[in-house]
Amino acid sequence: MPELKSEDNILLGIAVILISFASFLMLGTAGLRVILGIVFIMFLPFYLLLHNSSLSQQEKIAFSFFISIALFPSLVYWLGFAVSFRISIIAVFLLLLILPYIISKISKKHGKSLESS
Amino acid sequence: MKISFRKIEILLLVVLYLTTLYIWTLPIQKNKMPFGDVDSSSHFTIGDYISMYDKSIVEIPYPITFRYAGQNHIFPKYIWYPPQYWANLALAQVFGGERIVPAFLMVAIFSSLIILSSYFLIRSLFGFWPGFLSSFLLIFSTRDYMIYLWGQWPQSLSFAFTPLILYCFYHYYKNRKDNKNMPIYIYIASLLLSAQFLFHPQGMIASIGALVIFSLIMLAKNKKFPFSIKHLAVAFILFWIVSAAFAPFNIGNFFANLVAKQPANYRQSEGNNFQFDKLFKWYQGIKNDAGLPDFYFEYDKVHGSFQENIFSWWTLPFLLIGLFVLVYRRSENDFLMLSWFVSFYFLTRLIVFGFGQRDIRMFAYEAHVFYPIIAIGLISISSFFRQESLRKYLRFASIALFLILAIFVNGKSAYQTLNGMQYSIGRINPQQYEASEWIRSNLDEKADIYDIGTLGYQNFAAKVKWLGVLSQRHFIVNDNEINLTDYVFLDYTDALLLRNQDYVNSLQNFEKNFQSMTPVYNKNNIRVYKVAGIKI
């Protein structure tokens, strides 16, 4: 799995904590839960997916956030016809968490990265 | 301890976003009831069904078939927009564990995302201060927060993707020019374009417009295509696959609408289609538009303050200076900005060329283009002077001036409007919400309800539509549906809140028709009568 110990990630973590706290102060538990849901369930898998690319840290954060708000609900919505919507959220989240690991294995095996193709 | 500028930059960005979150969530901080006009309730309802019944839906639920069935021309019974925005609201409800606040927080976050995406692009093109200042001004953008309050939410989110797409294409082009192969940028751009399509195609059209103009300028400048045909083909295929896979019931409808002929009666009052004078008037002299208020086309109000005074015009000189600077410098980043500006100009006056259905709504992203140019104009003033110390001094003085004017002119106006929304009588009140919950739990799913008393019921207004989506029942808003009435919803709450005795008296007179009946619901000055078979 990608390493998450860079200074940028620490700053990102502090930003998330501050925004979550502000959201809690303004809108209570519901506000806090929504921010945490967006960050950890929607954004994080896509961030890990882009982590192996040669994009800059800021690019990874920006692109993965914007892509996640389009693709995560898409996947959950369509799977939501086969299983319950809540189960679909968990299934898509887990699937996306595994995907970066699989991609990393495949690209190592083939000795090439996504962006040089 | 020495703190690097990078850390200060991140700190300022966090402060920027916290300010955004505070300002944009003002309408829901003290009042937890829904708000929004026209389309807002319909954007809420599909996600609400999904999370409430814990399954995805593709067919339009009965209560809103009366408003939206047939809008998807190819699949008339199916949802009229791609489901992604609504699925996000369902996700918010699941994450938040509540029905209203989580969905509205998600809407606030999405509607204000342009502030972050704009920063990302402008920071990369012109440096920190233009990026920070333009995003700071965007927090108070009347265009953007009014669209948020009105409820055209998917469109708002879609426009927020444009800066990222421009960023991707620009970096793809720059790398290619430097003989570095980075197709990932154009692939990500195509994914983001798909996202725009999934949320609202207007944003996608805005992005494509800017990209086409930028490509043409770069082609003319370098005598070379700014992209590889192979990369473009792959990006195009990727766009199609993602769009078609995730919105299979809507993609055809979009293209059908795109090629459909303009309705014969569309803007008949404006005369013929070729109105060349509109090329020379920024706001085209629009007044009394059926869908948008007059202030939407007044520069001082939409880019200044509702409290009209001379300071409401403060951004205009900087905008003109910014445009002059971009044209004068003509570096590649300036061309990208100019391409965005020029495409905006053409897309907002498509009627001149006979494609007029959506051009007025394109004004929605005016601030996204203007505010970076305003910030560039302001920052550039110091460069007109030769003396280095004076330049530095002027630069920080102009930044301070910008922040002061942004806060005390635009910010004050934005705060008053968004804060005032908490107390708006136009919002559902707790008594109405409670009644809608009772209806949802107790009346038949296909019950048709006629509302008398809720504010605006005479004018098919937003509150009645909100009652419909909150109760998940059909609230009648068209005269030709009155004979379907199963229940009458008699609502005194708005009349009492307005302390309007005439309003109360007229409702009491109407209620005399039901003297012999026992209401099935009678609480908080709202009564519901079962009247099936009785002519209203």
Side-chain angles (χ1 to χ4, degrees):
Chain A
M1 292 291 278
E3 199 178 348
L4 279 173
K5 285 181 183 169
S6 72
E7 192 184 50
D8 281 336
N9 284 320
I10 293 167
L11 290 172
L12 178 64
I14 292 169
V16 169
I17 290 167
L18 284 173
I19 291 165
S20 305
F21 184 63
S23 191
F24 174 71
L25 287 182
M26 288 184 277
L27 299 167
T29 322
L32 174 70
R33 287 174 55 166
V34 171
I35 298 290
L36 295 179
I38 292 171
V39 172
F40 291 104
I41 298 178
M42 293 172 72
F43 163 77
L44 187 65
F46 286 92
Y47 177 74
L48 296 175
L49 202 59
L50 284 182
H51 199 77
N52 287 323
S53 70
S54 62
L55 297 169
S56 73
Q57 185 73 358
Q58 294 95 316
E59 288 173 337
K60 285 175 197 168
I61 293 169
F63 297 155
S64 46
F65 181 77
F66 277 80
I67 291 171
S68 73
I69 60 175
L71 294 192
F72 191 85
S74 302
L75 295 165
V76 171
Y77 174 80
W78 287 107
L79 188 61
F81 285 103
V83 294
S84 96
F85 190 73
R86 282 163 178 79
I87 290 172
S88 174
I89 295 172
I90 298 164
V92 170
F93 171 67
L94 292 175
L95 180 77
L96 288 171
L97 272 188
I98 298 165
L99 206 57
Y101 179 74
I102 296 169
I103 289 175
S104 158
K105 285 279 175 201
I106 292 170
S107 58
K108 269 181 194 165
K109 196 175 171 185
H110 291 278
K112 62 198 279 197
S113 66
L114 182 71
E115 60 270 15
S116 64
S117 56
Chain B
M1 190 177 74
K2 199 177 175 185
I3 302 173
S4 68
F5 183 72
R6 208 177 116 60
K7 283 182 187 163
I8 295 172
E9 192 183 320
I10 292 172
L11 180 73
L12 284 173
L13 190 60
V14 171
V15 170
L16 178 88
Y17 194 68
L18 289 176
T19 311
T20 304
L21 203 59
Y22 172 71
I23 296 285
W24 283 68
T25 57
L26 275 171
I28 47 168
Q29 285 176 19
K30 289 181 191 153
N31 183 345
K32 311 293 183 196
M33 293 291 113
F35 67 82
D37 208 348
V38 198
D39 299 330
S40 56
S41 52
S42 61
H43 292 314
F44 173 86
T45 196
I46 300 292
D48 191 44
Y49 270 98
I50 291 173
S51 71
M52 197 164 283
Y53 293 95
D54 200 21
K55 65 173 187 181
S56 299
I57 57 167
V58 71
E59 284 196 32
I60 300 172
Y62 173 78
I64 51 166
T65 51
F66 296 88
R67 287 167 63 192
Y68 290 102
Q71 285 210 8
N72 185 336
H73 299 298
I74 297 176
F75 301 98
K77 287 183 176 177
Y78 285 12
I79 49 178
W80 61 104
Y81 276 172
Q84 281 69 21
Y85 195 94
W86 305 327
N88 268 316
L89 298 193
L91 286 170
Q93 289 181 331
V94 174
F95 294 156
E98 288 178 25
R99 195 178 180 199
I100 307 297
V101 170
F104 275 82
L105 173 58
M106 191 73 110
V107 170
I109 291 170
F110 284 175
S111 299
S112 59
L113 267 187
I114 181 65
I115 291 155
L116 293 180
S117 63
S118 173
Y119 173 81
F120 187 71
L121 173 70
I122 305 304
R123 165 76 180 84
S124 147
L125 295 180
F126 302 101
F128 173 74
W129 283 113
F132 181 81
L133 294 178
S134 57
S135 285
F136 187 75
L137 194 55
L138 274 172
I139 298 175
F140 314 121
S141 162
T142 310
R143 281 246 184 286
D144 290 82
Y145 71 69
M146 289 313 292
I147 286 169
Y148 161 62
L149 294 178
W150 289 331
Q152 289 147 353
W153 301 325
Q155 172 196 304
S156 208
L157 175 59
S158 184
F159 282 128
F161 282 74
T162 300
L164 286 188
I165 291 163
L166 299 184
Y167 175 97
C168 286
F169 191 80
Y170 183 73
H171 281 265
Y172 166 77
Y173 160 76
K174 289 289 274 182
N175 278 295
R176 187 173 140 76
K177 202 179 159 204
D178 297 341
N179 293 320
K180 288 183 214 156
N181 208 15
M182 289 288 278
I184 190 168
Y185 283 116
I186 201 165
Y187 301 153
I188 288 176
S190 81
L191 267 181
L192 296 170
L193 275 168
S194 291
Q196 284 193 304
F197 169 75
L198 297 175
F199 290 124
H200 202 289
Q202 254 184 283
M204 182 185 76
I205 291 166
S207 301
I208 292 172
L211 293 181
V212 166
I213 291 179
F214 181 68
S215 299
L216 289 174
I217 294 171
M218 291 303 110
L219 177 66
K221 189 169 172 263
N222 303 325
K223 310 279 183 277
K224 186 185 160 191
F225 277 118
F227 44 77
S228 134
I229 300 295
K230 182 188 143 196
H231 294 156
L232 191 70
V234 174
F236 190 70
I237 291 166
L238 187 64
F239 168 81
W240 269 101
I241 290 172
V242 174
S243 305
F246 292 130
F249 298 110
N250 303 89
I251 192 162
N253 187 51
F254 167 69
F255 286 101
N257 282 340
L258 208 62
V259 295
K261 276 198 164 179
Q262 197 170 297
N265 62 348
Y266 184 73
R267 289 209 216 159
Q268 234 169 20
S269 58
E270 296 192 27
N272 64 49
N273 280 337
F274 296 95
Q275 299 162 51
F276 288 108
D277 60 319
K278 295 199 166 183
L279 291 175
F280 307 104
K281 292 184 204 160
W282 189 258
Y283 292 128
Q284 305 166 22
I286 299 167
K287 276 205 184 315
N288 305 319
D289 183 81
L292 291 162
D294 283 351
F295 77 77
Y296 201 75
F297 304 103
E298 293 172 35
Y299 185 93
D300 58 333
K301 287 181 185 161
V302 284
H303 301 300
S305 165
F306 283 125
Q307 291 81 43
E308 288 173 275
N309 58 46
I310 191 75
F311 289 110
S312 295
W313 292 93
W314 75 272
T315 55
L316 188 57
F318 297 118
L319 175 68
L320 298 174
I321 294 168
L323 281 170
F324 169 77
V325 168
L326 293 175
V327 173
Y328 180 76
R329 286 194 309 217
R330 294 192 303 279
S331 55
E332 284 177 336
N333 51 353
D334 299 324
F335 275 128
L336 184 67
M337 216 46 235
L338 284 170
S339 303
W340 199 10
F341 177 81
V342 171
S343 62
F344 173 78
Y345 170 82
F346 282 112
L347 289 172
T348 48
R349 54 216 73 224
L350 285 174
I351 193 168
V352 176
F353 310 102
F355 307 96
Q357 291 213 42
R358 286 275 183 183
D359 56 353
I360 287 188
R361 284 184 69 174
M362 280 291 182
F363 274 109
Y365 76 99
E366 186 180 50
H368 311 174
V369 186
F370 275 13
Y371 292 5
I373 301 174
I374 289 165
I376 292 163
L378 177 117
I379 295 287
S380 306
I381 289 174
S382 61
S383 64
F384 298 157
F385 298 87
R386 287 188 178 175
Q387 202 181 338
E388 188 55 40
S389 59
L390 182 65
R391 273 184 171 194
K392 199 175 168 184
Y393 187 76
L394 257 179
R395 189 178 161 86
F396 284 103
S398 52
I399 288 168
L401 179 71
F402 184 102
L403 290 172
I404 289 166
L405 288 169
I407 291 168
F408 290 101
V409 179
N410 305 50
K412 188 179 166 196
S413 181
Y415 180 84
Q416 285 174 347
T417 309
L418 288 160
N419 193 44
M421 192 62 194
Q422 293 184 103
Y423 314 105
S424 168
I425 186 96
R427 292 175 71 162
I428 292 291
N429 62 47
Q431 295 77 26
Q432 289 164 339
Y433 186 78
E434 194 181 335
S436 74
E437 287 274 319
W438 180 87
I439 290 171
R440 189 167 58 80
S441 308
N442 293 282
L443 300 190
D444 182 69
E445 279 183 26
K446 291 201 172 177
D448 302 286
I449 301 159
Y450 188 70
D451 182 310
I452 293 174
T454 304
L455 192 68
Y457 71 96
Q458 314 93 322
N459 302 312
F460 316 132
K463 279 184 87 165
V464 179
K465 291 173 181 171
W466 266 112
L467 282 171
V469 306
L470 291 171
S471 60
Q472 296 182 341
R473 298 296 180 272
H474 172 219
F475 267 65
I476 292 165
V477 288
N478 296 317
D479 288 343
N480 60 0
E481 295 159 14
I482 289 178
N483 59 1
L484 296 173
T485 305
D486 298 314
Y487 295 90
V488 166
F489 183 91
L490 199 66
D491 180 3
Y492 285 92
T493 59
D494 285 335
L496 292 168
L497 284 168
L498 288 168
R499 296 180 186 176
N500 185 331
Q501 196 54 47
D502 291 341
Y503 197 163
V504 173
N505 293 343
S506 68
L507 293 176
Q508 281 175 332
N509 280 335
F510 180 81
E511 196 177 7
K512 284 176 186 164
N513 292 316
F514 310 111
Q515 266 175 342
S516 58
M517 298 179 187
T518 307
V520 291
Y521 178 85
N522 186 1
K523 200 174 175 186
N524 302 323
N525 298 307
I526 294 174
R527 286 186 271 285
V528 178
Y529 291 96
K530 185 169 172 49
V531 296
I534 296 173
K535 199 167 181 182
I536 305 291

